[in-house]
Amino acid sequence: MWTCKTTWKKLAPLARTCSTLCRQNARRTVLNSDRRLPMVTQAHMSSGTPGSGGDNNLYYLLVGATCIAGGFYAYRTIKGDQERYNERMNEIASRANKVAEQAETYLPEEPRGDEAVETPEETSPEVTAEEPEGPPVELEAEIEPSPVAESPPAETAEPQTTTVTESAADPATDEPTNVPPPAPVEFPSHAPYLLIGGGTASFAAARSIRARDPGARVLIITDEPDLPYMRPPLSKELWFSDDPGVVDTLRFKQWNGKERSIYFQPPSFYVSPQDLEKVENGGVAVLTGKKVVHMDVRGNKVTLSDNTEISYDKCLIATGGVPRNLQVIERAGEEVTKRTTLFRKVEDFKALNKVSRDTKSITIIGGGFLGSELACALGRRSADSDLEVIQMFPEKGNMGKVLPEYLSNWTTAKVRSEGVRVITEALVKGVSFKDGKVEIKLKDGRVVKTDHIVAAVGLEPSVELAKSAGLEVDSDFGGYRVNAELQARSNIWVAGDAACFYDIRLGRRRVEHHDHAVVSGRLAGENMTGANKPYWHQSMFWSDLGPDVGYEAIGIVDSSLPTVGVFAKATAKDTPKAATEKSGTGIRSESETEGTASSTATSSTPAPPPEPQQKDDYGKGVIFYLRDKVVVGIVLWNVFNRMPIARKIIKDGEEHADLNEVAKLFNIHED
Amino acid sequence: MSYCKQEGKDRIIFVTKEDHEAPSNAELIADDPNDPYEDQGLILPSGEINWNCPCLGGMASGPCGTQFKEAFSCFHHSSEEVKGSECVDNFRAMQECMQKYPELYPQEDENQGAASGGSDAPTEDSAPTPTSDLTPTPESAPSSDNTPPTDIQAHS
C-alpha cells in the first residue's frame, strides 16, 4: 500500500512534466503549421483537425480568386454594353445623316440654287458608291446635319425624289433609283402621341387626347389601308342596306333614320402625316398601310416594317387582333383556304358580299356573335336568291356561351326562321375539297358539302410587340396585361381588344366589344393626358338578330354562371298577334313556343309548364348573371333605353336578396 | 300572379304588370356627384367645361376644335346680359373655320350647334355633327356616347 502511494507520488511530477511537454510539443507543432493566422489553440482545436490551417489558406485563395474573376467579368460586360450602345447610336445617327444628306443632294429647289443642282450630278455617284460609309465631307459641312431639322426637308425632298423616279424624265433621277430609299417618306420622325393601330379604340383615344390637350399632335399608324371605321355594321347594318352600291359607299341607315358612313370621320378631318408637326393647332394624322414591327421602350421609339423609326412621348397600343382559324382548315390545303373567309375587315365584307352572290352555299362555323349575325344577314339574303346558308357550332344553341339555355334555344329558333340551316353540337373533324365542293366532316359522322366557309371562331389578340417592348402578355385571357388605368409601362397604354385589364369591380378581363373599345380608348386617351382614372364606366354590348330583334347586355355575361331571368308575362289582354304586330316580328311567338317546348323537354325538372304555352313568352325581360350572389352581368332582352340602370346595379356590386325587386327598376312592362 | 321555374342553375320568373306595380325595395347606393372615377357630364364639378364629353361629339377635337373651345368657353363664362354678346369674334372665327370643312360641319346644323351648345346643364342631346358619333344608333341605342347616369332614387 505504502509503496503504491509513494510510487504514485514519485511518478506524479514526472507524469505532470511529461504531459506538459506533450502539450507544449503539440502547441508548437500547431503553431508552426499555422504560419499566417495567429489563432488561439482552442479555436483551432474546436475547428477539428490539426491540418485545418492549411485548408483555410486554400479556402481564402479560392474565394479571392472567384471575387477577382467576377469583378473582372462584370467590368468587361459593362464596358461591352457601353460599346454596343455607342455603336448603335452612331449607326442610327449616321443613318439619319445619310438620309438627310441624300435628300439634300437631290433637292433641286433649295435656295442654294445652282450649287444644289450641280452637286447631285457630281456627288450622287459618290454617294451610291459609298453608301454604307459616311457621307462626303463637303456636303455634310453645308448641310449641318441635325436629325430633326433635316427631316422636314427630307420629307419634302423624298416625295419629289419618288415622283421624279416614277416619271423618269430627269437624268439626275437615274441616281436615285440606284440608292435604296432608306427611310421616311412623308413621315414625321417624332409624334408626341403615337397610337399603334387604327381601329375604334385608337380613334376614341385620339379624340380624347385632342379634347384634353389643346393643339395635340396625334399620329395613328395602321396596317390597314382604311381610315378608322367601326366594325359592327360590317356584320349587321351593311347587309340590310337597300343600296346596291353599299359595298363602295359603306353607308348604312341607323335606326333613327339617319344615314352615316362606317368611317368615324371623312378624310378631311385628318391632317396629312407630313403636316402633323407643322400644322398650327395640331391634329390627328393617319399613316395607313404601315406596320409597327419593333418597339424600343428604352429609347421611346418604334420601328416600322420599312425600317422607319418614329419616336414618341406617349404611346397607345390598340392593335386589336386577327380572326382565329380552325387547324383543320389551315391544314386542308389551298383549295379549301382560298374558299374560306376570316371575317373582320372591310375587305372581308366586300369579299363575302361578292361570294354570297356568286355561290350556292355558304357555311358559317361558329355560333357566337359574329357567326350568328352573319348567319342572319346571309339568311335574309338567301330569301331572295337560292343561296343555302348553313351554320354549325359545338354548342347546343346560338350564343350558347352567352345566353342561358332557354334563351339560346329561342335564339337558335330565330336564326332558323331567318332561313339558316343550323347544325348544333357540331365538331369539325376534317375539311377537304372534293368534286368542286368543300366537304366538312363532323365528329359524329355527318358530312356537309358547301361552296364557301366563313370561320367565326374567335379572335387572337395581336401581341407581336410584346417581345421587343418587354410587355407582359396575359396567359389566361391573352392580350397585353395592363393595370386598371390601362397602363402597361411608363409611357405605354393598351386599349381595345388587345388589352387584358383589371376591372376594379369585375376583376381582370379582356373584352372584345365595340363599346368597350370606345370606352377604353377614351380612358386611355384621358390617362395619356394625365387623368389617371381607372376603368370604371362599364361598357355594354348589343346584338341584333336580324333588323327587328335585339338585346343589350353589360358586364360578365357568361352562360356558365347561374342566372335569374325576369320576364314580362303576357296577360289575357295581350294577344300574341297584337304583340307580334307591335314588335314587327311575324314569327316570334311560334319560335318561342318551339323554344319553350324544347327547353321543357331538356330541363331537369319534370314538372310540365303550369299554364298554356303562350304565357311562356320570352318576349321582354331582364336576365341577371350572378357570381357569389352578386350581379356581375345583365342582359336586357328586348328592353331598351334602360342601360344606365343596369350599369348602376353592376357598379354597386351589392348582394340583392330578391332579384325580382331589382327587376322592378327596369319597368319591363312599359316600352 | 307571377310564377317561376328552375332549369338547372337558371331561374326564370314571369311577372305581370300588376306584380311590378309596387315600388321596388331594392337598395341602391347613392351616387357621389364628386366621384373622380365617374364620367362627368358637360360641366365638371369645378364649373369648367368637360371637352371630352361624348355629348360634344368631335367638336372639340376636330380641325376647328381650338376655335370651338375658345368660342364656347367665352360663351360659358360670359356674364353679360345677352349671354355671349362679347364673344362674337370667337364665334365668327369658328364659323370661318367650319366653312373650310363642309364635310365635317354641315352648314345647316352650324347655327344650331352654336346656340344649343350654350346650355349649362348636362345634356343628352347628340352633338351638332351627327357624323362624329362613335357608335351607330340601332334600335337599342347604345349609350356610351350620350348618357350621364340617370337619377335613381335610393330607397333607404
Side-chain angles (χ1 to χ4, degrees), chain A residues 370-593:
Chain A
L370 186 61
S372 307
E373 286 171 5
L374 283 175
C376 285
L378 288 170
R380 267 196 134 219
R381 196 163 273 201
S382 72
D384 307 320
S385 64
D386 55 355
L387 173 69
E388 182 197 25
V389 183
I390 305 166
Q391 187 185 8
M392 56 170 67
F393 44 80
E395 296 86 33
K396 287 196 197 154
N398 284 83
M399 317 304 302
K401 289 194 182 155
V402 173
L403 300 176
E405 203 174 317
Y406 59 96
L407 281 181
S408 168
N409 294 335
W410 187 95
T411 308
T412 312
K414 176 71 175 89
V415 174
R416 285 192 169 117
S417 71
E418 291 283 336
V420 180
R421 184 179 143 209
V422 180
I423 305 175
T424 60
E425 295 176 290
L427 273 163
V428 176
K429 270 293 151 189
V431 184
S432 53
F433 185 67
K434 240 184 244 180
D435 307 322
K437 284 276 200 187
V438 177
E439 234 182 54
I440 305 171
K441 284 194 194 70
L442 301 179
K443 189 175 174 186
D444 56 10
R446 285 179 287 182
V447 175
V448 174
K449 294 204 180 107
T450 189
D451 292 325
H452 197 92
I453 297 177
V454 178
V457 293
L459 188 78
E460 190 63 49
S462 299
V463 290
E464 293 115 0
L465 291 173
K467 191 142 190 250
S468 57
L471 298 175
E472 204 181 350
V473 172
D474 191 272
S475 41
D476 298 319
F477 300 101
Y480 296 98
R481 199 178 271 178
V482 295
N483 62 9
E485 285 80 17
L486 303 183
Q487 203 172 15
R489 284 182 65 173
S490 289
N491 288 324
I492 305 177
W493 288 260
V494 188
D497 291 353
C500 176
F501 66 102
Y502 182 67
D503 184 326
I504 302 175
R505 184 54 81 206
L506 299 175
R508 185 159 282 280
R509 49 203 277 249
R510 188 173 68 81
V511 179
E512 288 174 5
H513 292 298
H514 172 90
D515 193 50
H516 170 75
V518 173
V519 168
S520 65
R522 220 169 97 224
L523 178 67
E526 285 180 334
N527 289 342
M528 285 163 88
T529 48
N532 292 325
K533 282 164 61 176
Y535 190 92
W536 188 240
H537 176 92
Q538 201 53 244
S539 65
M540 52 82 77
F541 61 95
W542 76 98
S543 190
D544 293 331
L545 307 164
D548 31 31
V549 174
Y551 60 87
E552 299 177 328
I554 185 172
I556 298 181
V557 176
D558 183 341
S559 64
S560 63
L561 294 172
T563 69
V564 174
V566 180
F567 291 89
K569 193 164 105 156
T571 61
K573 276 185 254 165
D574 298 316
T575 60
K577 189 158 186 275
T580 53
E581 268 174 354
K582 199 165 149 211
S583 67
T585 49
I587 341 174
R588 191 211 268 159
S589 50
E590 260 177 56
S591 42
E592 269 161 13
T593 51

Side-chain angles (χ1 to χ4, degrees), chain A residues 152-434:
Chain A
E155 287 154 22
T156 48
E158 289 291 1
Q160 291 172 4
T161 323
T162 47
T163 47
V164 164
T165 318
E166 280 161 23
S167 61
D170 195 334
T173 62
D174 289 341
E175 274 77 31
T177 51
N178 291 335
V179 181
V185 183
E186 307 171 22
F187 305 169
S189 58
H190 175 77
Y193 296 98
L194 183 70
L195 312 185
I196 304 178
T200 308
S202 203
F203 184 80
R207 184 180 273 188
S208 197
I209 292 168
R210 286 278 301 156
R212 289 172 52 90
D213 180 359
R217 295 168 205 282
V218 180
L219 178 66
I220 296 177
I221 304 182
T222 172
D223 62 359
E224 284 191 59
D226 299 295
L227 294 172
Y229 60 89
M230 53 177 77
R231 283 186 213 287
L234 293 180
S235 60
K236 293 186 274 289
E237 286 92 336
L238 287 182
W239 291 93
F240 305 126
S241 169
D242 302 318
D243 176 12
V246 71
V247 175
D248 302 307
T249 63
L250 297 173
R251 292 184 73 82
F252 63 97
K253 198 174 268 178
Q254 299 174 97
W255 280 101
N256 55 11
K258 285 202 203 138
E259 228 194 45
R260 63 156 301 166
S261 164
I262 61 169
Y263 292 98
F264 291 115
Q265 293 286 5
S268 51
F269 173 86
Y270 304 99
V271 312
S272 70
Q274 67 232 52
D275 294 334
L276 184 64
E277 284 175 327
K278 292 173 284 185
V279 67
E280 195 193 331
N281 290 321
V284 182
V286 182
L287 214 47
T288 53
K290 298 284 170 200
K291 195 173 163 88
V292 175
V293 295
H294 186 275
M295 196 161 170
D296 177 1
V297 173
R298 222 186 289 211
N300 283 337
K301 56 185 191 275
V302 299
T303 313
L304 307 186
S305 45
D306 59 1
N307 283 324
T308 323
E309 284 189 354
I310 301 180
S311 61
Y312 60 84
D313 293 333
K314 310 230 185 230
C315 182
L316 173 75
I317 299 179
T319 43
V322 289
R324 287 204 179 116
N325 199 352
L326 292 174
Q327 277 198 333
V328 290
I329 295 180
E330 280 175 341
R331 291 196 220 126
E334 204 203 315
E335 287 299 319
V336 170
T337 48
K338 75 178 187 201
R339 289 175 174 80
T340 304
T341 301
L342 297 171
F343 195 89
R344 179 140 172 105
K345 306 180 189 171
V346 168
E347 56 204 40
D348 301 322
F349 163 72
K350 292 183 177 178
L352 189 60
N353 182 59
K354 188 161 184 298
V355 163
S356 71
R357 300 195 195 284
D358 295 342
T359 62
K360 291 273 175 288
S361 166
I362 298 180
T363 300
I364 298 161
I365 304 181
F369 291 100
L370 186 61
S372 307
E373 286 171 5
L374 283 175
C376 285
L378 288 170
R380 267 196 134 219
R381 196 163 273 201
S382 72
D384 307 320
S385 64
D386 55 355
L387 173 69
E388 182 197 25
V389 183
I390 305 166
Q391 187 185 8
M392 56 170 67
F393 44 80
E395 296 86 33
K396 287 196 197 154
N398 284 83
M399 317 304 302
K401 289 194 182 155
V402 173
L403 300 176
E405 203 174 317
Y406 59 96
L407 281 181
S408 168
N409 294 335
W410 187 95
T411 308
T412 312
K414 176 71 175 89
V415 174
R416 285 192 169 117
S417 71
E418 291 283 336
V420 180
R421 184 179 143 209
V422 180
I423 305 175
T424 60
E425 295 176 290
L427 273 163
V428 176
K429 270 293 151 189
V431 184
S432 53
F433 185 67
K434 240 184 244 180

